[in-house]
Every structure is written in structure tokens, then in C-alpha cells.
Amino acid sequence: MFTNIGGNIRTLRQRRGYSQEKLSELAGINAKYLGEIERGEKNPTASVIYKLASALRVSMCAFFPMDICPLVNHKPAADILEPFPSRQENPE
């Protein structure tokens, strides 16, 4: 049912020509954690997905199939969601 989110992140990262270290730096997450996400070993939180999408300059919907992330008023639903600034990430 779910797509391989990590694989989609890896594909988009590679298309941008970014190393894992570069993307993790841009997104403000640990490079080891990014590797685990890409390999499907860890599931990213919504705020980590938001950070990765922002760093890659794509909609959060780019990581999901369209039936999971439908359009709302002709905009991807993820584009109208606010990040969770008060949430602290601790992937280690």
C-alpha cells in the first residue's frame, strides 16, 4: 500500500546531484539517519519529510503516490500544511 518513501527520497536526491551528507546538511538532519531512511530502515516523521522536501525544493507529495497525497483546491495537500516548529527531532 505505501510507497518506498526512502527510495523516492534517494531518487530525488540523486537527481539533484546531492550526496547524503549534502542533503542532510541542507535539511538539518543527521546523515546516518538519512541513509537509514533511504534504505527503509527508519520511517521519517512528518517534520523530517518536510525538511527533506524543502531541502530538495519539492512538494512533500513528491515522496508519495498521488492517491495518498491528493490535490486540495488544485494544490498538493502537503503544500498547505504548516511544519511543526515546536516539535524537536531526535533521530539518534
Side-chain angles (χ1 to χ4, degrees):
M1 178 170 172
F2 263 119
T3 183
N4 179 356
I5 296 169
N8 293 342
I9 292 168
R10 174 183 288 138
T11 297
L12 290 166
R13 173 181 61 77
Q14 290 172 337
R15 285 182 186 166
R16 288 272 190 254
Y18 294 160
S19 65
Q20 285 182 341
E21 291 75 19
K22 177 68 174 177
L23 178 56
S24 64
E25 180 183 315
L26 291 170
I29 66 171
N30 183 284
K32 180 180 180 284
Y33 181 48
L34 175 58
E36 292 169 337
I37 292 169
E38 287 187 355
R39 290 188 301 275
E41 297 169 1
K42 298 279 184 174
N43 293 316
T45 62
S47 61
V48 169
I49 292 172
Y50 178 84
K51 289 175 184 181
L52 290 167
S54 295
L56 289 166
R57 299 181 312 271
V58 299
S59 165
M60 288 170 49
C61 286
F63 302 143
F64 303 96
M66 285 309 294
D67 61 337
I68 291 176
C69 196
L71 298 179
V72 176
N73 294 329
H74 306 291
K75 291 181 131 183
D79 286 345
I80 62 172
L81 298 176
E82 291 295 319
F84 308 101
S86 63
R87 182 175 173 135
Q88 296 294 317
E89 291 300 319
N90 190 2
E92 280 87 36

